[in-house]
Amino acid sequence: MQVVITGANRGIGLALTKLYSAAGCDVAACCRNPDDANALHALMDSHEGLELFELDVSSSDAIASLGEALHGRPIHRLINNAGYYGPRGVMLGNTPEDEWQQLFAINCIGPLKLVEALTEGLCQGQGIIANLTSKMGSMADNGSGGAYLYRSAKAAQNAVTKSLAIDLAPFNVKAVALHPGWVQTDMGGPGALIDTDTSAQGLYRVIEGLSTAQSGGFFDYQGNTIPW
């Protein structure tokens, strides 16, 4: 099984890379600076099916290059894990446009463009597109306001996921929006509720157990449905 994971050099992406590699999958681990991805290089010593690829998901050229490198391969799992929270404490009246554009580029536009670059392989592999999003993109869950940049970018990613599920259904390709939980990563901070292994193991179970009826849904790492 061919798996593509973005943001694979640390955090949840690294934990998912370890899980899929241990399961015997061929994993294309993507990150911005492969030369500095020491954990991935160490993992390659024991998993011959693991390959490293340079990818900045905000770069159209980088996405196109990855598409060319993987051309002809059936792709069974695409895990859009790379994400960006942006500046903290952004409130009404203080929304920096350049940062907002960067959030959309990384969290929404990049994952969609990557699907476009890999559509042929995903259709060949009748694959699953797992977009790691956040319940902060849920309208119903928003009871505190603020976080305009991150909330809007993740809400947009959720909308993209739903459309992908509909448009690619005729090719037996599924798409799902997944909330990984509040995780102890650089983004989540040390005070988060769960560690990366707990999140990755839950996400793995949800992805690998995904039914056709669940495609286009929004779930957390435990498989619970999240309202849009």
Side-chain angles (χ1 to χ4, degrees), residues 133-151:
T133 175
S134 171
K135 69 176 183 178
M136 288 186 70
S138 164
M139 307 299 177
D141 188 73
N142 184 358
S144 60
Y148 287 95
L149 279 59
Y150 190 69
R151 287 189 189 280

Side-chain angles (χ1 to χ4, degrees), residues 20-217:
Y20 277 99
S21 295
C25 300
D26 294 326
V27 180
C30 307
C31 60
R32 285 181 296 173
N33 300 299
D35 291 343
D36 298 330
N38 296 329
L40 288 176
H41 284 286
L43 197 61
M44 289 177 69
D45 293 338
S46 55
H47 295 88
E48 62 181 23
L50 177 60
E51 299 174 89
L52 269 62
F53 293 90
E54 182 176 351
L55 177 67
D56 178 348
V57 297
S58 66
S59 166
S60 297
D61 290 342
I63 290 172
S65 295
L66 181 65
E68 292 172 3
L70 298 178
H71 181 72
R73 300 191 196 185
I75 296 173
H76 304 95
R77 304 288 184 269
L78 168 60
I79 303 177
N80 280 311
N81 164 72
Y84 178 52
Y85 189 90
R88 305 280 174 170
V90 173
M91 303 300 291
L92 185 64
N94 180 32
T95 52
E97 292 184 22
D98 55 342
E99 287 286 350
W100 206 350
Q101 291 169 351
Q102 184 74 349
L103 261 78
F104 265 81
I106 294 173
N107 294 315
C108 180
I109 299 171
L112 176 58
K113 298 306 291 185
L114 189 54
V115 170
E116 290 181 343
L118 301 178
T119 296
E120 182 178 338
L122 285 163
C123 291
Q124 288 176 5
Q126 297 186 3
I128 294 174
I129 302 161
N131 285 334
L132 267 61
T133 175
S134 171
K135 69 176 183 178
M136 288 186 70
S138 164
M139 307 299 177
D141 188 73
N142 184 358
S144 60
Y148 287 95
L149 279 59
Y150 190 69
R151 287 189 189 280
S152 61
K154 286 302 185 181
Q157 186 181 22
N158 291 345
V160 162
T161 305
K162 181 67 175 181
S163 286
L164 287 172
I166 294 169
D167 292 343
L168 295 176
F171 306 97
N172 294 316
V173 174
K174 297 187 276 290
V176 63
L178 296 177
H179 169 61
W182 185 18
V183 189
Q184 296 160 7
T185 61
D186 290 346
M187 184 184 295
L193 296 177
I194 59 174
D195 59 24
T196 55
D197 288 339
T198 300
S199 176
Q201 289 163 9
L203 293 168
Y204 180 90
R205 287 191 292 269
V206 174
I207 294 167
E208 295 311 308
L210 191 71
S211 68
T212 299
Q214 290 175 309
S215 183

